[in-house]
Amino acid sequence: MKKLIALLMTTALIVASLAGCGGKDAKETTSAKKTTEAAKDETTKAAENGESKAEEKTTAAKDASEGGTFTVGFDQDFPPMGFVGDDGEFTGFDLELAAEVAKRLGLEIKYQPITWDFKDMELNSGTIDCIWNGFTMNGREDEYTWSEPYLNNSQVFVVNAEAGIVTWDDLKGKAVTVQVDSSAEAALKDNPDLTATFGSLDTCAEYNTAFMELESGAVDAIAMDVVVAGYQIESRGSNFAILEQEISTEEYGIGFKKGNEELRDKVQAILEEMAEDGTMSEISMKWFGSDITTIGK
């Protein structure tokens, strides 16, 4: 009997012990489950908050860009169309026109200086919205979506006034320079009979260098835009002259990426508005002393 009682007591103790262990495991499992669920909830909340913040950021970025920018690509060494002024700021006839257009469109103007022979890459990559810098349309008609021409121009030779060079015949055997990938270079390529008479025909990166070379006697003539030549001669106060005979005549326009008629049309409408209210004439008078623009005429 004692043995039976002892056996029963032992069994009861074992069961109680097992029940205790099971209770602890259950509590721990429940606790772990709650912790996991809480962590999961926190993670979910964090993720949702993160998404919400990302959404807010995207919306904010969108709102910030509602006005947008108008990014103009230009050669910063091409006065008076676009260049660095004495105050270190970008300025010029074309840049002033562009700033007024941007203002009337409700856009922020951004001047983006570019290396001229990389201009197409800049335009096609979206770095710039247009090329606006004494940009010749002739010969490039199918390469861009163009505005209407706003200036007439011609390509000419600039020489030292005391060099005895008066006509093209006087350029025989002489050293001539021209800006790389410029309209003047294209015009000379179209006139091989003329260039064959030169002693040499070299290219330069920009016309400031070309004028320094002309002044020093390193070259005898520069082929370039007459609009730019006139400004350079007046601003430098040096003894330069423009040969009367023109290499070619041309028109300036604003070049947009091929197919971007939407932006072109907006800009064109503003230019016509500026021509009608006299703003374009005022800007031309400021830079050239006369109204040489062609829109609306």
Side-chain angles (χ1 to χ4, degrees):
M1 184 69 179
K2 290 180 180 179
K3 288 183 179 180
L4 178 59
I5 292 171
L7 179 62
L8 289 173
M9 289 178 65
T10 301
T11 302
L13 287 171
I14 291 172
V15 171
S17 175
L18 288 173
C21 289
K24 183 180 178 183
D25 287 345
K27 287 179 182 177
E28 288 180 352
T29 300
T30 302
S31 177
K33 183 177 179 182
K34 287 181 179 178
T35 302
T36 301
E37 287 176 350
K40 185 178 179 182
D41 288 342
E42 289 300 318
T43 302
T44 303
K45 287 178 182 177
E48 288 174 350
N49 287 337
E51 288 173 0
S52 177
K53 287 179 181 177
E55 242 180 292
E56 288 172 6
K57 186 176 180 182
T58 302
T59 304
K62 184 179 179 183
D63 290 341
S65 64
E66 278 297 321
T69 59
F70 181 44
T71 305
V72 174
F74 72 104
D75 176 358
Q76 68 177 22
D77 296 305
F78 198 56
M81 313 314 282
F83 62 104
V84 181
D86 293 335
D87 60 359
E89 299 294 325
F90 294 128
T91 187
F93 172 70
D94 280 341
L95 298 191
E96 196 164 328
L97 286 181
E100 181 64 22
V101 167
K103 178 183 175 182
R104 297 190 186 199
L105 286 174
L107 301 173
E108 179 188 352
I109 188 67
K110 181 180 178 183
Y111 301 133
Q112 181 60 55
I114 57 176
T115 302
W116 194 244
D117 46 347
F118 293 151
K119 60 186 179 297
D120 292 343
M121 181 186 72
E122 301 277 10
L123 185 63
N124 292 326
S125 67
T127 305
I128 57 177
D129 293 313
C130 66
I131 301 169
W132 195 341
N133 191 214
F135 196 26
T136 301
M137 303 171 68
N138 308 70
R140 299 184 175 115
E141 290 87 351
D142 298 328
E143 298 175 24
Y144 308 90
T145 290
W146 288 99
S147 70
E148 294 298 316
Y150 63 94
L151 274 185
N152 288 327
N153 185 49
S154 61
Q155 301 299 327
V156 295
F157 289 107
V158 178
V159 298
N160 274 309
E162 299 175 354
I165 301 175
V166 180
T167 68
W168 286 6
D169 287 339
D170 299 323
L171 291 173
K172 291 179 181 177
K174 303 297 185 182
V176 178
T177 190
V178 63
Q179 186 181 35
V180 64
D181 198 32
S182 65
S183 299
E185 183 183 28
L188 289 179
K189 286 179 179 178
D190 288 338
N191 199 334
D193 291 339
L194 172 62
T195 58
T197 67
F198 300 160
S200 65
L201 176 59
D202 298 313
T203 58
C204 59
E206 36 80 23
Y207 283 120
N208 284 328
T209 300
F211 268 91
M212 286 190 287
E213 291 179 344
L214 181 60
E215 199 164 21
S216 69
V219 299
D220 300 297
I222 308 170
M224 63 187 301
D225 303 61
V226 69
V227 171
V228 179
Y231 179 85
Q232 286 274 13
I233 291 172
E234 184 173 342
S235 62
R236 288 174 179 274
S238 299
N239 198 19
F240 300 114
I242 299 173
L243 299 191
E244 185 176 343
Q245 192 172 359
E246 298 173 338
I247 306 169
S248 66
T249 58
E250 61 191 22
E251 296 174 312
Y252 282 165
I254 308 161
F256 299 85
K257 185 178 180 180
K258 190 75 172 175
N260 192 0
E261 284 89 0
E262 181 180 359
L263 181 57
R264 185 273 313 276
D265 291 346
K266 290 178 180 178
V267 171
Q268 183 62 40
I270 298 298
L271 288 175
E272 291 171 7
E273 179 184 292
M274 289 166 59
E276 187 174 348
D277 66 23
T279 304
M280 187 172 287
S281 176
E282 288 177 14
I283 296 174
S284 180
M285 289 291 294
K286 171 184 174 180
W287 287 99
F288 304 112
S290 62
D291 184 7
I292 63 173
T293 62
T294 58
I295 293 180
K297 296 180 175 65

